[in-house]
Amino acid sequence: MATKNWMIFLGVAVVVLLSSFSWLGLFEEKVDYNKDVKPILNKNCMGCHGGVKKAGNVSFLFEEEIIRPGKSGKIPVVPGDAHGSEMIRRILSDDPEERMPKEGAPLAEEEVEVLKKWINQGAQWGRHWSYNRVERPEVPSGGGLLASLKFWETDGEWAKNEIDYFVRRKLKENGLTPAAEADRATLIRRVSLDLTGLPPTEKEVADFIKDTSPDAYEKVVDRLLASSAYGERWAAMWMDLARYADTKGYERDPGRTIWRFRDYVIRSFNEDKPFNQFTIEQLAGDLLKGPDGAPAEEQLVATGFHRNTMTNDEGGTQDEEFRVAAQIDRVNTTWEVWQGTTFACVQCHSHPYDPFPHEDYYKYLAFFNNTRDEDVTSETPTLRFYKGEDSARVERVKAWITQHNPAQTTRFAQFMRVMEPKINSHDFDEYVNASLLDAKYFGAQHQGSARIPGVTLTNKDKLLLSIGTKAEDATLTLTLDSLRGPVVARTKVPTADTVLVLSLPPVQGRHNLYMYFDSPKTPKNWISIKWIAFQESLPGQNQPEYAGVQLDYIKVLKARAESTPVFWEAEGDLRRKTHVFERGNWLVKGPEVQPDVPKLFNAMPRDLPRNRLGLARWMVSRDNPLTARVVVNRFWEQLFGTGIVETVEDFGSQGIEPTHRELLDWLAASFMEEGGWSTKKLLRQLVLSATYRQSSGVDQQKLEKDPYNTWLSRGPRVRLSAEQVRDQAMAACGLLSNKMYGPSVMPPQPEGIWLSPYSGESWKLSEGEDRYRRAVYTYWKRTAPYPSMTTFDAPSREFCQSRRIRTNTPLQALVTLNDPVYLEAAQKLAETMQQRGKTPEQQLREGYRLLTYQPIEEKSLNVLLKVYRNSLVGYKKNPAEVDSLLRFGEKKSPELAALAVSANVLLNLDKVVTKE
């Protein structure tokens, strides 16, 4: 009976099994578009069928395009029918005229099967992973079945925080185990250099080694995060992104005073300003309103981020061309810094590999297109800083306006702060006997004229002009709507550059104004105008003190105040229309577009204004898929040498896939939510992880399985940045100044480097402690950057640089062995070594320990001793050479010179210029 029942059961099972074959398709593995299909299309098809080229009117960039008939009338992809899809037919064709890829190697059989399978499954599209909203993944843990299998048994012992569970899982998947924790001296040096850019002091190392409390390392981290040096270290990173420099760029490359922006960044990092606020202030600080209805000084200074764009002061250049170039740079930089996307491609055509259509670029550019900077030599708009009597005049004017009409206070205070709104004279047209002088400012001679187009004059009864001439008895006449129109103002032109205030009669509406110049005594002399502004009169005209207040106002506008370039949004007549540039050519304008974000993303919420402030808030909203991922990845790259996404500048389909995607998303979600966009909390989380604390030592197995430390099977081992190499040498040798903020300085550099062909400026060596300040304060000339930092891979900063590609060249050794900064550091170190040891052996041991906090190996010591002895023999034979080497102090002897040579070698050691 039992046998019979068994046979019946078996028969039923067979029938069920056979009948189920028709349902096997339900369990077929689903093809993932982004993971499986997109790489094949990008590699083989997009070159001819993407955003740049659409051969045969076929494109595989957008979903709607792949199902649209091509030039032949056939549909490239028929969802659900691979056999009926023209793409598959062409791929499999034997006809060389039809076979695809046309000039490339045939697709592999596996690739063809993937495409067929994808089409038969419905050709479902998919977004690239980085364009999807950040969702918090679960932290791998030891619960459930995994715990019963003892899979995570050792993780709890090794892991310090959530990061380690994600890393440990990848290590296990790749047959790897984590490394032991680095020794304490190595660990404190690593975290000190990472968080502050400076090495620890001897006392800090000794205290940490002695501290046996469970939170000893945490206390070190918290101390470093609270250090003022922290802000300087991370500002140095941000300067590359902001393309910060003390000059304007291009061939002339004249000076620019914008150091207050650098100081803003340092303060922001030290205050742990939430990164979302940090972002909004830099992109739209001028649009933030304080209690008085105006942005705070700090918020205006922050907008210097995008005033770091290059401007071209050369004669013969067209201001509008380079204004447009600056706007394009701002769009590209914003995308690279905050969105990690190669959006620059879309300037000329739809993106070849990611779904960004051409017009999306100009919709985004429209957010920036109304800033008031116009490539003028004066760099306006600038935030002006008044001192002394000028500052008192500002306060008197503001107090007067507040007393007589408080509603006007903000408007006039704004003009005194940023001199906007105004019209730059290069916008005049219809020249007669007039010209742009040196392609910069409007100039006219006797009987010259020009038009000021489209000015709204309602309630504007004052005209302010920045004007001057050397012509005798020159006059300016202003007429309405034509040169023969009603005269609205006439004045003598001063023979010195000044600001004039002309009264205008009541005029309503928008008009063209015409200027006519007379200077019959000296007809060839030029009358120059830099800018004009139409305003209301200061209130209180019927008061006896009015004339004095107006004079104060004019003197403030004429004052040569310190200033820094800032953003200011155009309003009214000064607003611009934005058009698509056909093929990226600014001279060929296509359809007009309105400010908007790419269609690929969720639309901007309706409550956000369609300006830079709305854009900035959208970028740091919880729903933006890129900002937090990109920022977290950038900080990770700074600590570990390589980002979770190695291509920190490209999170698109052509970028390198993340090694730990779930970890990246967990960190991004945590950064926005629990972390409140705090960079200090993020960095604390990273450096407290067991992953970060690992020794950087490596064995044969890890070299074979994880040669580039992709899976984080050991600690980071990365050469220090250019700034850190210099700052460490000066700090370790006791030379580094802790002075913060202020104008950039000019420390020592080799002769013959500085080049200023137009101005004849020279590198003026800073005096006192300024020559020993941190590298972040070094004067940065784009066409002649500080040479030692350039050699260590610092960029020229003409454009945004997301990551420095590290090189290893003989020039770097030549810098650390010959640059005057390192020679002085070596001499100072040699003097310290002499004080610390009686014999050369003791002195060299002490020098090595001072730089690495480790004992020197005998083999290395013997090499250094040989260097010392050979140098000593040479200096005793040629005492005059002692003076040529020891140029920075009063102590001079062959022994000190030989020790300085040895110290110079120490400063050049791999262990010294590398973070182990």
Side-chain angles (χ1 to χ4, degrees):
M1 184 68 179
T3 303
K4 184 177 180 181
N5 287 342
W6 170 249
M7 294 298 291
I8 292 171
F9 173 78
L10 184 61
V12 170
V14 169
V15 170
V16 171
L17 183 64
L18 290 172
S19 64
S20 70
F21 279 136
S22 62
W23 296 91
L24 284 179
L26 292 175
F27 304 101
E28 183 181 40
E29 184 180 356
K30 200 77 173 173
V31 176
D32 184 288
Y33 172 78
N34 284 308
K35 178 184 174 185
D36 304 317
V37 178
K38 183 79 169 173
I40 298 173
L41 297 179
N42 282 353
K43 176 185 173 184
N44 300 284
C45 309
M46 291 298 192
C48 296
H49 303 285
V52 183
K53 293 170 64 178
K54 295 183 180 181
N57 289 337
V58 173
S59 171
F60 299 132
L61 185 58
F62 300 101
E63 182 175 11
E64 63 271 17
E65 291 180 332
I66 67 166
I67 57 175
R68 186 185 300 156
K71 188 176 181 180
S72 67
K74 296 176 182 178
I75 298 174
V77 171
V78 180
D81 185 6
H83 180 72
S85 297
E86 181 68 2
M87 178 176 75
I88 298 299
R89 190 188 74 78
R90 291 289 192 104
I91 288 172
L92 297 176
S93 175
D94 293 328
D95 185 344
E97 294 297 318
E98 286 195 327
R99 184 181 61 80
M100 295 293 169
K102 199 152 195 172
E103 297 179 1
L107 269 64
E109 287 185 21
E110 298 81 9
E111 292 175 322
V112 176
E113 288 306 312
V114 166
L115 294 177
K116 282 183 176 179
K117 199 173 181 181
W118 171 63
I119 294 172
N120 285 331
Q121 289 177 354
Q124 291 186 5
W125 210 252
R127 280 187 184 180
H128 188 259
W129 68 270
S130 66
Y131 303 140
N132 292 318
R133 186 180 189 272
V134 178
E135 301 295 347
R136 182 193 294 269
E138 289 188 13
V139 179
S141 64
L145 177 63
L146 295 181
S148 66
L149 295 174
K150 307 288 186 182
F151 188 70
W152 293 98
E153 187 174 45
T154 60
D155 280 17
E157 301 169 9
W158 176 70
K160 303 293 184 184
N161 60 28
E162 294 88 345
I163 293 169
D164 302 320
Y165 288 101
F166 288 101
V167 172
R168 181 72 163 139
R169 180 167 67 183
K170 285 288 186 181
L171 289 174
K172 289 187 176 183
E173 289 174 3
N174 289 278
L176 293 161
T177 56
E181 186 168 302
D183 65 84
R184 287 206 161 192
T186 297
L187 189 57
I188 191 174
R189 178 174 183 265
R190 176 191 298 171
V191 74
S192 295
L193 286 165
D194 273 338
L195 294 183
T196 69
L198 298 176
T201 65
E202 287 183 272
K203 185 178 184 304
E204 288 167 349
V205 176
D207 289 347
F208 179 50
I209 291 172
K210 291 176 186 175
D211 191 346
T212 57
S213 61
D215 62 345
Y217 179 62
E218 285 189 47
K219 288 187 289 187
V220 168
V221 170
D222 290 338
R223 173 179 57 77
L224 293 170
L225 291 171
S227 165
S228 59
Y230 164 86
E232 293 171 318
R233 180 266 184 268
W234 292 99
M237 174 201 76
W238 199 255
M239 294 300 97
D240 281 2
L241 301 174
R243 59 268 192 254
Y244 173 86
D246 295 289
T247 58
K248 300 180 184 181
Y250 295 112
E251 187 181 11
R252 272 195 75 217
D253 201 21
R256 167 185 283 160
T257 304
I258 198 170
W259 53 264
R260 284 182 173 87
F261 169 74
R262 178 244 293 142
D263 289 357
Y264 158 83
V265 175
I266 295 171
R267 289 189 174 96
S268 295
F269 275 113
N270 276 335
E271 294 165 5
D272 197 23
K273 182 172 288 184
F275 192 83
N276 53 352
Q277 182 184 345
F278 184 58
T279 296
I280 291 168
E281 288 179 352
Q282 289 179 90
L283 296 180
D286 57 307
L287 297 174
L288 296 171
K289 305 299 180 186
D292 62 349
E297 179 181 293
E298 179 187 47
Q299 293 165 338
L300 279 173
V301 171
T303 63
F305 179 89
H306 273 323
R307 290 305 311 278
N308 277 302
T309 45
M310 296 192 294
T311 56
N312 199 335
D313 283 356
E314 293 170 40
T317 60
Q318 190 167 354
D319 289 343
E320 178 64 8
E321 177 183 359
F322 288 96
R323 185 197 74 81
V324 169
Q327 303 301 338
I328 288 170
D329 175 75
R330 286 163 188 166
V331 172
N332 299 346
T333 297
T334 303
W335 274 85
E336 184 167 339
V337 172
W338 280 278
Q339 308 287 266
T341 302
T342 53
F343 201 60
C345 302
V346 193
Q347 175 189 341
C348 297
H349 47 70
S350 294
H351 201 292
Y353 302 104
D354 290 310
F356 295 108
H358 182 43
E359 61 269 19
D360 276 2
Y361 187 93
Y362 294 95
K363 291 177 182 178
Y364 198 91
L365 185 141
F367 286 112
F368 293 92
N369 198 32
N370 278 301
T371 58
R372 286 296 301 130
D373 60 295
E374 295 182 340
D375 198 67
V376 291
T377 304
S378 60
E379 295 268 81
T380 59
T382 58
L383 176 61
R384 292 159 64 87
F385 299 89
Y386 298 103
K387 294 180 180 179
E389 183 58 25
D390 287 329
S391 180
R393 289 187 180 106
V394 170
E395 295 307 314
R396 287 199 295 268
V397 172
K398 287 166 63 177
W400 174 272
I401 299 169
T402 302
Q403 178 185 349
H404 291 90
N405 188 352
Q408 290 183 305
T409 303
T410 298
R411 192 177 313 124
F412 281 104
Q414 162 193 310
F415 196 80
M416 289 187 287
R417 289 174 85 198
V418 296
M419 305 283 277
E420 289 291 344
K422 66 178 184 300
I423 299 171
N424 290 308
S425 65
H426 61 200
D427 288 328
F428 302 166
D429 60 14
E430 296 188 9
Y431 290 7
V432 175
N433 204 24
S435 176
L436 267 185
L437 303 178
D438 196 25
K440 293 179 176 63
Y441 300 117
F442 171 81
Q445 295 177 319
H446 177 52
Q447 296 184 339
S449 64
R451 183 182 75 152
I452 309 169
V455 180
T456 299
L457 295 173
T458 305
N459 297 326
K460 306 294 184 187
D461 59 354
K462 295 294 182 186
L463 170 62
L464 280 65
L465 305 93
S466 175
I467 192 170
T469 186
K470 291 183 179 179
E472 296 180 32
D473 296 332
T475 61
L476 161 65
T477 302
L478 225 66
T479 60
L480 195 67
D481 292 326
S482 76
L483 283 170
R484 294 183 177 84
V487 173
V488 293
R490 181 176 284 121
T491 184
K492 285 189 174 182
V493 181
T495 54
D497 290 340
T498 188
V499 175
L500 285 182
V501 179
L502 306 182
S503 294
L504 301 175
V507 179
Q508 301 297 310
R510 198 170 190 221
H511 297 267
N512 297 325
L513 287 172
Y514 286 79
M515 300 178 295
Y516 182 82
F517 301 91
D518 260 316
S519 54
K521 287 189 177 180
T522 50
K524 293 300 181 182
N525 283 7
W526 291 96
I527 300 163
S528 173
I529 297 178
K530 293 182 178 178
W531 57 264
I532 62 172
F534 295 88
Q535 296 182 354
E536 303 171 61
S537 295
L538 290 170
Q541 294 184 73
N542 58 347
Q543 300 298 315
E545 299 92 346
Y546 181 80
V549 172
Q550 186 166 24
L551 184 60
D552 277 342
Y553 183 55
I554 299 304
K555 284 184 176 179
V556 164
L557 301 183
K558 290 164 54 178
R560 293 184 177 275
E562 289 185 18
S563 62
T564 188
V566 297
F567 261 172
W568 197 263
E569 189 77 350
E571 296 178 347
D573 297 336
L574 297 175
R575 290 190 65 81
R576 303 182 185 91
K577 293 181 179 180
T578 303
H579 295 262
V580 173
F581 295 161
E582 300 291 350
R583 303 298 294 172
N585 186 342
W586 70 283
L587 293 172
V588 184
K589 293 181 171 59
E592 183 181 350
V593 291
Q594 301 302 317
D596 206 353
V597 298
K599 299 174 186 175
L600 177 65
F601 302 117
N602 294 331
M604 286 178 67
R606 292 183 178 180
D607 61 337
L608 291 180
R610 287 303 191 270
N611 58 19
R612 279 181 288 111
L613 181 57
L615 173 68
R617 286 176 172 159
W618 171 80
M619 287 177 60
V620 292
S621 70
R622 179 60 181 83
D623 291 329
N624 189 293
L626 286 167
T627 302
R629 283 180 173 130
V630 169
V631 171
V632 164
N633 188 62
R634 196 180 299 287
F635 282 103
W636 182 282
E637 187 257 356
Q638 289 287 306
L639 298 182
F640 290 90
T642 305
I644 295 174
V645 176
E646 182 179 340
T647 48
V648 295
E649 71 285 352
D650 188 1
F651 272 56
S653 61
Q654 290 298 95
I656 296 174
E657 283 285 305
T659 55
H660 301 73
R661 188 191 298 180
E662 288 188 337
L663 170 59
L664 179 63
D665 280 0
W666 187 89
L667 286 169
S670 177
F671 181 53
M672 291 186 283
E673 294 169 1
E674 294 92 343
W677 296 86
S678 164
T679 54
K680 285 191 176 182
K681 287 181 181 178
L682 171 64
L683 288 166
R684 188 178 192 275
Q685 194 174 37
L686 297 182
V687 301
L688 287 180
S689 68
T691 303
Y692 176 82
R693 300 191 210 184
Q694 294 177 96
S695 166
S696 58
V698 64
D699 56 30
Q700 189 60 37
Q701 181 199 35
K702 289 186 178 181
L703 277 177
E704 291 174 358
K705 289 189 173 183
D706 194 16
Y708 301 108
N709 204 22
T710 303
W711 309 116
L712 304 167
S713 60
R714 55 191 179 275
R717 187 180 185 279
V718 185
R719 196 197 65 211
L720 303 180
S721 71
E723 292 87 349
Q724 290 171 346
V725 170
R726 180 181 178 275
D727 289 349
Q728 176 190 236
M730 297 176 68
C733 301
L735 289 171
L736 191 67
S737 164
N738 60 7
K739 180 180 176 182
M740 297 182 70
Y741 309 125
S744 297
V745 296
M746 294 184 174
Q749 69 170 335
E751 294 291 331
I753 298 294
W754 179 266
L755 295 173
S756 288
Y758 285 91
S759 65
E761 291 176 325
S762 60
W763 184 264
K764 296 177 182 177
L765 190 63
S766 296
E767 297 179 352
E769 68 175 319
D770 279 350
R771 69 183 273 148
Y772 303 113
R773 296 186 66 188
R774 290 196 67 171
V776 71
Y777 299 108
T778 299
Y779 191 92
W780 204 281
K781 186 177 178 70
R782 284 183 163 116
T783 54
Y786 194 65
S788 71
M789 287 196 275
T790 302
T791 306
F792 279 98
D793 306 320
S796 66
R797 293 190 180 150
E798 293 170 285
F799 302 100
C800 168
Q801 180 102 2
S802 272
R803 55 177 171 147
R804 297 180 183 181
I805 305 301
R806 288 179 292 273
T807 63
N808 187 5
T809 72
L811 289 176
Q812 290 162 2
L814 287 172
V815 164
T816 51
L817 290 172
N818 296 283
D819 187 284
V821 169
Y822 296 93
L823 290 177
E824 184 171 5
Q827 182 174 336
K828 186 71 174 177
L829 178 60
E831 291 172 3
T832 304
M833 290 159 63
Q834 269 193 336
Q835 295 167 5
R836 298 286 188 94
K838 295 181 179 179
T839 66
E841 290 88 343
Q842 292 172 343
Q843 292 164 353
L844 292 170
R845 285 183 190 277
E846 192 62 17
Y848 186 87
R849 189 190 65 78
L850 282 169
L851 293 172
T852 67
Y853 313 104
Q854 303 286 347
I856 190 170
E857 296 178 359
E858 290 301 316
K859 182 179 178 181
S860 299
L861 177 61
N862 291 334
V863 173
L864 283 170
L865 278 169
K866 186 176 181 180
V867 170
Y868 172 81
R869 288 165 182 157
N870 288 343
S871 301
L872 183 60
V873 170
Y875 285 120
K876 284 184 175 179
K877 285 182 179 178
N878 300 286
E881 293 186 8
V882 172
D883 291 335
S884 66
L885 178 69
L886 304 179
R887 292 176 289 166
F888 305 100
E890 296 178 1
K891 296 180 180 179
K892 298 183 190 301
S893 69
E895 288 77 16
L896 181 60
L899 203 56
V901 170
S902 306
N904 204 3
V905 173
L906 284 171
L907 288 170
N908 193 48
L909 290 178
D910 187 57
K911 278 186 174 290
V912 174
V913 298
T914 301
K915 174 187 70 177
E916 292 287 348

